[in-house]
Amino acid sequence: MSQSVIGRPSVNPDTSSPDTPAPTDQRPHGLVWKLGRWFLDGLPTIIVMSVLVAIGYYGHTHHWKIPTFAELTGQAKLVVKDWCEEHGVPESKCVICNPDLMPASPDYGWCTEHGVNNCPLHHPDVAELKKTPVITEATMQQADRALALRERPDNNAACKVYQKRIQFASNEAVQQAGVDVELVDQESVTEWVSGTGEIRYDPTRLANLSSRVPGTAWRVLKNVGDQVEEGEILAVVDAAEVGLLKTDLVKAIVAEKLARKNFERLNGLKGAIAGKDILEAESILAKEEAEVLSVEQALANLGLSVDVSSIANLSKQAMIDRLRFLGFPNELAEQFRSQTASANLIPVRSSMNGVITERNVVSSEVVTPERTLFEVADPSWMWLILNVPLEEASLIQVGQQVRFQPNGSRKEVTGNLSWISTAADKQTRMVKVRAEIDNAEGQLRDETFGAGRIILRQEKQAVVIPRSAVHWEGCCQVVFVRNKHYFDSPESPKVFQLRNVRTGFVNGNRVEIIAGLLPDEVVVTQGSDVLRAQLLKNSLGAGCCAE
Ligand SMILES: [Zn+2]
Ligand SMILES: [Zn+2]
Ligand SMILES: [Zn+2]
């Protein structure tokens, strides 16, 4: 046997030199020498035997078969391995080929309510957690709210991919594959509809002010940005019409006084004069009284109120003097008296408390009632106008909170939706919505553009994981969950369980999981391409929905 194995010519002391027996004098220690020689000649055989025994022992302890003679002589290839090609782990450890090594978790099938297979909300024992968690009513209601709000991506009820498991040979193999995991945590979720838009002055708190009569701007007293109060004078216009009305008023008062005096005189002579003369005087008085009222009203229409009774007893000149700065407070009147001889002045007053946001007039400029001289806005409340995609408009309701971040600002302002347009823009397919924003601190400016969010739902504690953890496998969304026995010992099978998930709100690279994962489970977030590749291999490339 040894000759065959090592393939060497045999060396035997009995046949080494048959024709020349060694002289005994040259070999003083005949027996010892013979034994030594025999040992040396047999050494290769001994080594080979020892190696075979060692291989046999190793093979025995590792459930190998002792190699056949043919294998060892090179007449067949050496096939000594324990490897499951399909699942990429030692065959003896493959939990997929040997389910007894790790019995599959229970299969509860499809959950109609949450749209996942093996729903952890209804069957928390499917969670890869050592201790089965308790699902509270609040958690169930939270899932209900998320599902009731809007349509969520659906999973295929018939797909069995959630039953699959992916195994690695060792934790080192997991790390070498670049697989990274994350503890499933809870965080707050705010679901919103976004829209772009702008801050505008509330037009119900906006005034466009003009002169009530044509004229020229004599003084402009206020500028853009000035705070003004209701009634405050912004400019002074010199209008001939005003002077004429004042003259008319004085004339009318004088004429009325005369008519009254005449009537009273004739009335005192009753009986001595014809009744028709008294009637005529009475009618003239009535006409003059009406004239006074008419001019008084014309002035009042210009915002120039006159207390006729307080001036009626003055002299004509005193009346003219008193009316000269009609409509101006005494302080201004005194100031103007030295600056102009005109009696045509009329103030342009603010109709509300606010800020001057526009000024379209300079001194000496011709003004007309049609032309806006000032815009005054009350910026303590502003309008936020947002454009929302038509498809999302059905999600929004009056009263919902709105948050707006002006471009270039970090601070969000908030308000509540007060109006939703019933029509969509034909071109942009956008629906306009409006919110009133408290701007008491004055941080918002008109025509400020930015991004708005209409808050649909807020949850304090939702399951949220990186988007990279969720995979669309053709007909359902899955995650890879680390088996709860993964770290029981270094020898524990390194298994990841597939799990159906129902996704909710997506915010950047984070996604809410409505159902399918429970807090404290461990989910693959990085390198899951390796797991997917293994999954496809297991399914013979047929993908998610193949059985
Ligand atoms: Zn296998
Ligand atoms: Zn369920
Ligand atoms: Zn599927």
Side-chain angles (χ1 to χ4, degrees):
M1 179 183 175
S2 62
Q3 290 92 330
S4 306
V5 171
I6 59 174
R8 278 180 56 183
S10 62
V11 177
N12 193 312
D14 298 334
T15 58
S16 59
S17 48
D19 302 327
T20 52
T24 50
D25 56 349
Q26 286 179 338
R27 293 171 180 177
H29 316 290
L31 182 61
V32 174
W33 183 86
K34 264 189 178 173
L35 281 172
R37 188 62 197 278
W38 176 83
F39 179 78
L40 284 174
D41 286 346
L43 186 59
T45 308
I46 291 165
I47 291 170
V48 167
M49 287 299 288
S50 307
V51 167
L52 285 178
V53 166
I55 288 173
Y57 179 74
Y58 180 82
H60 174 73
T61 55
H62 290 75
H63 311 290
W64 288 4
K65 290 168 188 158
I66 292 176
T68 63
F69 175 81
E71 285 164 347
L72 290 174
T73 54
Q75 286 162 3
K77 266 200 156 184
L78 190 70
V79 182
V80 184
K81 63 173 190 174
D82 173 23
W83 193 255
C84 170
E85 282 294 338
E86 191 186 353
H87 302 120
V89 292
E91 182 66 51
S92 60
K93 287 179 161 186
C94 180
V95 300
I96 299 150
C97 294
N98 313 298
D100 288 347
L101 291 176
M102 180 181 277
S105 44
D107 186 351
Y108 294 104
W110 181 249
C111 171
T112 311
E113 189 178 334
H114 297 118
V116 290
N117 273 298
N118 250 4
C119 176
L121 292 177
H122 279 110
H123 306 285
D125 55 310
V126 303
E128 293 296 342
L129 296 168
K130 290 271 171 82
K131 192 164 170 269
T132 300
V134 175
I135 306 300
T136 63
E137 188 53 33
T139 301
M140 291 302 243
Q141 286 170 357
Q142 186 172 310
D144 289 349
R145 282 193 294 272
L147 292 170
L149 182 67
R150 63 186 306 172
E151 281 186 23
R152 307 293 182 182
D154 281 324
N155 293 313
N156 179 0
C159 177
K160 299 294 180 200
V161 75
Y162 70 95
Q163 295 173 339
K164 297 232 189 297
R165 300 192 282 191
I166 307 293
Q167 187 178 6
F168 282 80
S170 65
N171 191 40
E172 290 68 42
V174 171
Q175 282 165 1
Q176 277 161 19
V179 172
D180 208 353
V181 295
E182 188 177 301
L183 187 72
V184 175
D185 209 352
Q186 283 177 301
E187 54 189 71
S188 66
V189 158
T190 302
E191 183 160 16
W192 70 81
V193 166
S194 58
T196 54
E198 64 177 318
I199 294 285
R200 299 302 304 259
Y201 288 121
D202 177 348
T204 66
R205 298 163 187 263
L206 194 64
N208 287 314
L209 304 172
S210 54
S211 173
R212 296 192 186 189
V213 281
T216 54
W218 182 68
R219 289 281 188 280
V220 176
L221 304 175
K222 295 287 178 184
N223 216 330
V224 170
D226 287 350
Q227 292 268 358
V228 293
E229 285 175 14
E230 183 182 348
E232 200 168 339
I233 297 171
L234 311 183
V236 181
V237 169
D238 188 303
E241 188 181 331
V242 171
L244 288 173
L245 281 172
K246 288 176 186 171
T247 310
D248 287 350
L249 183 64
V250 171
K251 277 185 191 161
I253 290 171
V254 169
E256 189 247 26
K257 270 160 75 177
L258 199 64
R260 183 177 305 281
K261 201 180 271 178
N262 192 39
F263 165 71
E264 282 167 357
R265 186 178 58 82
L266 292 177
N267 202 33
L269 299 172
K270 216 181 230 175
I273 59 163
K276 82 170 181 30
D277 290 344
I278 298 173
L279 279 175
E280 194 184 307
E282 195 177 9
S283 115
I284 289 170
L285 173 60
K287 190 177 143 257
E288 295 301 348
E289 279 174 344
E291 180 62 19
V292 170
L293 275 175
S294 163
V295 180
E296 192 186 342
Q297 189 58 51
L299 282 166
N301 287 346
L302 299 181
L304 302 173
S305 300
V306 191
D307 180 5
V308 172
S309 63
S310 73
I311 58 168
N313 295 323
L314 299 174
S315 70
K316 192 176 167 185
Q317 190 51 49
M319 270 194 275
I320 289 169
D321 215 42
R322 183 73 73 85
L323 291 176
R324 188 164 153 207
F325 295 109
L326 179 66
F328 291 94
N330 287 336
E331 201 180 306
L332 270 182
E334 285 312 310
Q335 200 181 311
F336 293 166
R337 200 174 290 279
S338 60
Q339 296 171 0
T340 181
S342 173
N344 299 343
L345 301 185
I346 178 170
V348 176
R349 292 175 182 273
S350 177
S351 59
M352 58 184 280
N353 294 340
V355 173
I356 296 186
T357 53
E358 267 181 47
R359 177 180 66 86
N360 300 316
V361 62
V362 292
S363 283
S364 305
E365 204 172 356
V366 173
V367 297
T368 62
E370 293 76 36
R371 203 176 116 196
T372 297
L373 305 184
F374 294 94
E375 183 191 73
V376 176
D378 173 6
S380 61
W381 284 86
M382 302 290 271
W383 271 14
L384 168 62
I385 309 285
L386 286 180
N387 295 300
V388 174
L390 181 60
E391 312 79 63
E392 308 219 281
S394 62
L395 298 171
I396 57 178
Q397 294 166 14
V398 166
Q400 281 168 334
Q401 195 192 54
V402 181
R403 299 178 190 170
F404 181 75
Q405 189 166 26
N407 289 345
S409 165
R410 282 187 187 172
K411 209 179 151 198
E412 272 189 331
V413 293
T414 60
N416 291 89
L417 268 197
S418 58
W419 173 81
I420 300 166
S421 171
T422 50
D425 185 286
K426 283 191 178 64
Q427 250 103 56
T428 62
R429 308 298 292 157
M430 290 287 192
V431 174
K432 280 200 188 312
V433 302
R434 186 176 76 220
E436 266 106 82
I437 309 281
D438 185 348
N439 190 34
E441 290 172 23
Q443 75 274 35
L444 292 174
R445 308 211 168 277
D446 186 42
E447 294 186 42
T448 301
F449 293 87
R453 301 187 292 157
I454 300 159
I455 307 303
L456 305 177
R457 182 173 65 98
Q458 276 184 292
E459 305 292 357
K460 285 204 178 75
Q461 289 193 310
V463 169
V464 178
I465 60 173
R467 269 175 96 175
S468 61
V470 180
H471 299 279
W472 174 253
E473 289 298 339
C475 70
C476 42
Q477 301 200 87
V478 293
V479 294
F480 297 94
V481 187
R482 194 171 73 189
N483 183 268
K484 59 185 164 189
H485 297 297
Y486 188 98
F487 276 128
D488 281 4
S489 81
E491 295 303 311
S492 311
K494 306 309 175 198
V495 170
F496 294 89
Q497 172 74 47
L498 265 83
R499 182 82 60 70
N500 246 186
V501 289
R502 196 87 190 272
T503 52
F505 188 60
V506 178
N507 182 17
N509 57 7
R510 307 285 290 170
V511 58
E512 176 193 16
I513 301 297
I514 299 169
L517 273 176
L518 293 181
D520 297 333
E521 290 195 278
V522 174
V523 72
V524 174
T525 55
Q526 292 284 313
S528 38
D529 285 347
V530 180
L531 287 96
R532 295 180 70 198
Q534 188 62 38
L535 179 68
L536 288 173
K537 202 168 135 196
N538 292 0
S539 315
L540 299 173
C544 171
C545 301
E547 297 272 334

